[in-house]
Amino acid sequence: MKPAAFSVTLLFALYPVLLFSARFRSVEIQVEQTGPLSVSAAIVVYIPNSESMIDAFRESLFLHWGDDDVSEVPIVNGTDEDGDGVLDGEPIEPGFRKYVYAGEHIYSQAGRYVLSVENPNRLPGILNLNFPNSVSIPVYTETEIEVFANSTRNSTPVLLEPGGVDQAHSGLNYLHLPNAYDHDDDSIAYQLIVPLQGPDDPIPNYFGIGDLATIDSEKGIFNFSNAQEGMYGFAIQINSYRNGVLQDRMIRDITFFNRPINANSPPTISVDTPLEIIQEVNIGDTVRFQCTVADSPGQTIRLSATSGLFSYIDAPATFTVEQDIGTFEWIVRDEHARTQAYPVVIKAEDDLDEFAATNFALIRYRVNGGVVRTNEPVVGAWLVYPNPVSDELFLRAPGVDFPLPITYKIFNTSGQLVAQARLNNWSARIDVASLASGTYFLQLETAEQQWTEPFVKR
């Protein structure tokens, strides 16, 4: 029997907490299994970049692993800019800085472990989060991962796009793409959840999921649109599945500003290849596309791209920029074959000071001839329709014969079970008419496997 989940809490060093929270924009915890029972963990934090913040920000965190071991975890990225012997993180986007605090640990037994980070206060004045007293609500985020005692390895995805560094503009559609890349070739599903203030403790007086913001469960495209200016906070949960079973989940907690519409508009991006759909490529192909950007006269545009194809494979792809034209090139090799698609996220950001605007484009490639795991109906293998749905859901798994009965459970974005039953024949219908409007997750279970499919209730 596997042990119960352990709680691993990352506590901040003794430093005035409001200084940290007042500049907080995003935090997540990435975990990688490095050997039998051994892991490395990294707390990734994004804050505004200023000389005062670099000097004042904590140089280490105390990492509690949940089994009586405590480590003082240092900053491991950047250079020592002020010569005080402590790394100062690294500047990323104009006006923002990334800090990575990392440590290693060996567990005494296999099992599921929940790593968490907590800070007593959030930014003041967040409009959709216990307003007007958001400052009294703790910042809390967590990552849950299965740790193995044998040669099996597991790691959470790496979120390649920084969080909380882009701002929305009133009345326009705000996009954010975390761009999760999973080393293990696990399938990924995104969902919005109510931000947490502690373990199993959603924030009170919170709103915004489904009306202010949505996220595409497969592509990871986060959309926000609202006319009211101010700060908003959201939590994006990224779930990884292997053989249809949840391997790990991580939460990115982000806060961003919604600026006046008349201040600026985002750049436009034109790409000479199809967007968002998965394009099939073959080993030996040379894949190439170009993108161009444009904006109001007098503005300089920063054009960039992120992908696992750049950093996590041999013979990586390249993305070069000349003036306002970006060129992507990738020679597909045998070792690039994998089951899941490779996302490529293009980002264009202008330079209108505090009102800078951003736009994104998503391109996805999958290599034909990749090794597909046996009996792995990944997220998306099931057809759940209609989606969005008003009254009844239907199921179909093309080309796959799953034994009956199948148990289904429906969870909301807070992880609460809202319905469950058993399907004894494929003509059965799932009644969802009584559910409130919003995003839900349909979990399907046989005696040996489990799958999860998202759907939207009108």
Side-chain angles (χ1 to χ4, degrees), residues 184-353:
D184 304 322
D185 195 17
D186 294 333
S187 60
I188 292 174
Y190 299 83
Q191 68 181 107
L192 289 180
I193 65 170
V194 176
L196 303 174
Q197 60 180 355
D200 301 316
D201 190 7
I203 288 173
N205 303 318
Y206 180 81
F207 67 92
I209 298 175
D211 48 5
L212 297 183
T214 60
I215 194 165
D216 186 295
S217 62
E218 180 191 3
K219 302 170 188 173
I221 300 175
F222 171 85
N223 281 283
F224 170 89
S225 182
N226 192 41
Q228 185 174 1
E229 300 168 22
M231 279 185 297
Y232 294 84
F234 290 89
I236 300 172
Q237 180 165 294
I238 300 96
N239 303 312
S240 299
Y241 296 88
R242 186 178 305 173
N243 298 321
V245 177
L246 180 68
Q247 285 296 109
D248 49 74
R249 61 179 180 86
M250 62 188 302
I251 300 171
R252 164 173 279 183
D253 191 298
I254 61 172
T255 302
F256 58 85
F257 283 92
N258 195 28
R259 298 294 191 184
I261 180 60
N262 58 358
N264 194 15
S265 58
T268 60
I269 305 176
S270 300
V271 185
D272 62 1
T273 194
L275 299 180
E276 300 187 14
I277 65 170
I278 295 178
Q279 301 181 55
E280 303 287 344
V281 298
N282 297 306
I283 294 169
D285 287 351
T286 297
V287 181
R288 188 177 187 273
F289 70 78
Q290 286 192 319
C291 58
T292 58
V293 292
D295 205 346
S296 304
Q299 293 201 55
T300 299
I301 304 173
R302 180 177 179 267
L303 182 61
S304 61
T306 56
S307 176
L309 289 169
F310 301 140
S311 306
Y312 296 102
I313 63 171
D314 293 329
T318 60
F319 186 76
T320 56
V321 179
E322 276 192 42
Q323 296 181 339
D324 293 334
I325 300 176
T327 302
F328 171 91
E329 190 164 290
W330 170 36
I331 299 175
V332 186
R333 296 172 46 158
D334 289 343
E335 58 265 40
H336 299 162
R338 54 186 265 139
T339 306
Q340 308 304 323
Y342 290 99
V344 181
V345 172
I346 307 298
K347 180 177 181 179
E349 182 178 23
D350 61 29
D351 63 348
L352 193 61
D353 299 324

Side-chain angles (χ1 to χ4, degrees), residues 112 187 240-247 375-379 382 402 406-409 411 442-453:
R112 299 192 72 85
S187 60
S240 299
Y241 296 88
R242 186 178 305 173
N243 298 321
V245 177
L246 180 68
Q247 285 296 109
N375 298 325
E376 184 187 19
V378 298
V379 171
W382 286 85
F402 294 111
I406 287 182
T407 300
Y408 77 81
K409 298 177 182 179
F411 297 88
L442 176 67
Q443 182 175 291
L444 305 167
E445 298 179 352
T446 68
E448 298 180 349
Q449 293 181 298
Q450 181 185 97
W451 307 270
T452 299
E453 292 291 336

Side-chain angles (χ1 to χ4, degrees), residues 366-420:
R366 180 164 51 214
V367 181
N368 285 324
V371 178
V372 180
R373 296 190 185 94
T374 303
N375 298 325
E376 184 187 19
V378 298
V379 171
W382 286 85
L383 295 181
V384 178
Y385 63 96
N387 191 4
V389 61
S390 298
D391 301 309
E392 293 179 322
L393 272 177
F394 299 85
L395 303 177
R396 187 160 63 90
V400 185
D401 184 18
F402 294 111
L404 293 169
I406 287 182
T407 300
Y408 77 81
K409 298 177 182 179
I410 298 177
F411 297 88
N412 63 19
T413 53
S414 297
Q416 298 171 317
L417 178 66
V418 297
Q420 63 178 329

Side-chain angles (χ1 to χ4, degrees), residues 40-62:
S40 63
I43 313 159
V44 182
V45 179
Y46 297 94
I47 67 166
N49 183 28
S50 68
E51 185 175 344
S52 61
M53 282 305 300
I54 295 171
D55 291 340
F57 205 65
R58 305 165 207 268
E59 63 185 49
S60 64
L61 307 176
F62 287 103

